[in-house]
Amino acid sequence: MARNVEEYDAFLTDIMTSVQHYRDLDKKQKEEPSEADFLIRLEGQEVVDFSSQYGSESSISYVASNLAGKTFVFPSYGDYTQTCVFRTYGKWWKVAPSGRRKYLRTSSDFYGEDFIEVSFAEMLYPVRIEVYETYNPGAIIRILACDRAKGSDVDKGIRWVTLWSSKPKACKQRPRIFAPRLKKMNFATNLIRLELNHQYMDYYTELDGIKLVGTKTPPAPDLLRNHQVLPADIGDVEDSKDGDQVFDGPSSSARYSEERYGKTYNATADGIDELALSVDALSFSADSEEKSFFTQLPKELIHFILKYLDITDLCRLAQTCSLLRDHCYDPLLYIDLNLQPYWNLVSNASLDALSQRCERLQRLNLSWLGKGGLIYSDHLAYFLHDCQDLQTLELTACKIMDSNTLALIVSNCRNLQELNLSSCVNIEDFSTFNVLSLPKLRMLNLYRTKIDTPSLLALIRSSPDLEHLNLSSCMLLNPYINLVLMDLGDCCKKLKSLDLWRMRSVNSEGLAHLYNNCPLLEELDVGWCTDLKAYTQCFVQLAEKCVKLKKIFMTANRTVQDSDLKSLALHCPNLEQIDVLGTREVTRNGVLFVLEKCKNLIFLDLSFCLGIATEDVWAWRSLFPNVAIKKSFQHISIVH
């Protein structure tokens, strides 16, 4: 226990030291402005796109839009509603029953899990990007700038250029201004994109603001070097340390080479050449092939070797000789195809070239694609037309997705088992589900979409094998969500996971339809479902009838009590994850009962539980080292 106290005190001391450092620095800069006269500092004007957020679509708390505008929290450290917060963190969502398996041959250098794009009031040549991190820093792994010199955001002329990138890594818990050394650029921009990876986050990362520091005209190289990093830092301002990549050298406006994840891509305004591949491959002569030892290897062995290459390596290798071209075009190498790492490079030509290799395609990830008008819906439809074996289609935040594209996909992909439309906010009409069904569907993710009740009910009634359903933050469903739960209970007896995050109208009657008819349920998220009242015994009934539960999130349900936790612990021996953030009724005895009874428990969120002292949490972390026990805070004084 003494060791816990020492670690706890060191944690607080480190935070307070950082807070005081930034306050002193801010005071000094106000008294003696340190910025050079030629530098312009702009706060984010608007968040124009993002992949996820913790907050509700109709709220101002924990939403992505909080990244724009003035900073409200910095340099304070803690969990504040005025910040930008993303939906997940760490490994917990990936190891839950709804977690998705990885794609084969995904580039080992691609780490993106979330993104957010912020516009600024003026076009500047970036000298520095400052991101104000006020809780669990370190999630940012890539910064990009949009070059609009040849067009608008919907024209083919735009391109995205990486200014900085790094591998995910753990960081100290303290406030900081994240300002890494940037690649030199020969164009001005007013649109910056951050990409994030949360795997090392102990809790939600929170961003308080972003600033673009730059010049109206291209800055001189010596001035650029002198002002890329803030002065008087104590390790809070990131430079090019610990394996971070430093980019040097300007890029051509007509044709450029972008250092991307350790590889160089030659790209034009029409897309990425290496994926488009008109393939004028260099061919060995017959004599040279006869002398090559590699040509004597069995076809199966060559295929086995090529399985370790990602898509770009296969495209490169196809250009070396006719033999390897034939092997690299083998449809069996394209059963899994993940194009998300190349979201800013894949074009119509890329899809057209790949289509001849994808006749056996089963899993396809097009998440984040479609920006800049590089892909048209008719090209996507043509690409999918021959993919009769396609079972999984991932389209998270895919800009090409609208009502017409959805209709084309459902028409062409009749064998789909998994469909991810998360954050496809441009789909205004889902009525295609009323006409065309997906009878083999097992997984459907509709997070943040505008799905309407009649369309969803039609899909549910035609999908009896549905096992995983995400309806979180579907605001149009909210008034009728209990009708949806009634149909789910009647039609989807195989349901294993259901995410109802932020669906406030869920009540005990709706939940009863679920637990009375879906005994295979393993995961349920009813976070921020404020109409659910524990005194109706709904959580007790859930525990008694859904004994296979592994994950239950009851976030911000103020009525959850010790009796609910004890019932879950007694009836659900497989429980691994529990979230009771914000409850007022849970006590130390109820939590301890769960920790002792649930032998498979790996995650427990007790943040803002008024009946749980921070001292108890630190003690439990020692007694139950296999359980990640979370305890968030807003003010340093609260954690004492």
Side-chain angles (χ1 to χ4, degrees), residues 218-282:
D222 56 336
L223 295 176
L224 189 65
R225 283 194 298 271
N226 292 338
H227 291 277
Q228 279 213 332
V229 180
L230 291 174
D233 73 274
I234 54 171
D236 307 286
V237 181
E238 291 294 323
D239 200 338
S240 56
K241 302 174 183 178
D242 301 325
D244 294 356
Q245 298 178 23
V246 180
F247 300 92
D248 293 303
S251 54
S252 168
S253 59
R255 184 178 184 87
Y256 66 96
S257 293
E258 179 183 350
E259 188 69 23
R260 179 181 174 81
Y261 309 120
K263 300 179 177 67
T264 302
Y265 297 87
N266 294 320
T268 65
D270 295 323
I272 178 168
D273 291 348
E274 287 178 296
L275 290 183
L277 274 188
S278 57
V279 185
D280 293 326
L282 298 175

Side-chain angles (χ1 to χ4, degrees), residues 121-226:
E122 300 180 49
M123 301 281 287
L124 296 180
Y125 289 84
V127 172
R128 188 169 66 247
I129 304 295
E130 299 174 4
V131 185
Y132 292 75
E133 300 178 286
T134 51
Y135 202 38
N136 296 293
I140 299 171
I141 45 93
R142 196 166 177 232
I143 301 175
L144 302 96
C146 182
D147 180 8
R148 305 188 191 214
K150 294 175 288 183
S152 68
D153 193 30
V154 295
D155 294 330
K156 282 189 175 182
I158 85 159
R159 58 171 176 153
W160 288 87
V161 177
T162 299
L163 303 181
W164 170 88
S165 70
S166 176
K167 295 180 179 179
K169 57 187 177 183
C171 294
K172 288 186 177 181
Q173 294 190 38
R174 60 186 181 185
R176 70 171 186 174
I177 301 174
F178 181 64
R181 190 178 297 278
L182 305 179
K183 171 186 176 181
K184 302 170 187 176
M185 293 169 48
N186 66 345
F187 63 87
T189 186
N190 69 341
L191 185 60
I192 296 295
R193 175 182 173 113
L194 306 179
E195 292 184 1
L196 303 96
N197 179 289
H198 309 282
Q199 71 179 82
Y200 290 111
M201 297 299 101
D202 187 61
Y203 204 61
Y204 295 99
T205 190
E206 300 192 7
L207 310 179
D208 189 32
I210 182 173
K211 292 183 181 179
L212 170 62
V213 183
T215 60
K216 283 287 191 180
T217 58
D222 56 336
L223 295 176
L224 189 65
R225 283 194 298 271
N226 292 338

Side-chain angles (χ1 to χ4, degrees), residues 105 263 273-275 277 279-284 294 301-330 333-334 357:
R105 284 181 295 283
K263 300 179 177 67
D273 291 348
E274 287 178 296
L275 290 183
L277 274 188
V279 185
D280 293 326
L282 298 175
S283 299
F284 289 152
F294 195 80
L301 183 55
I302 295 176
H303 181 86
F304 181 80
I305 294 171
L306 297 184
K307 285 172 63 176
Y308 289 93
L309 302 182
D310 62 28
I311 179 64
T312 55
D313 290 334
L314 285 174
C315 291
R316 287 196 193 93
L317 193 60
Q319 299 179 73
T320 58
C321 70
S322 57
L323 172 68
L324 289 178
R325 178 192 61 192
D326 292 341
H327 281 294
C328 290
Y329 274 45
D330 188 340
L333 291 174
Y334 297 86
R357 314 170 206 181

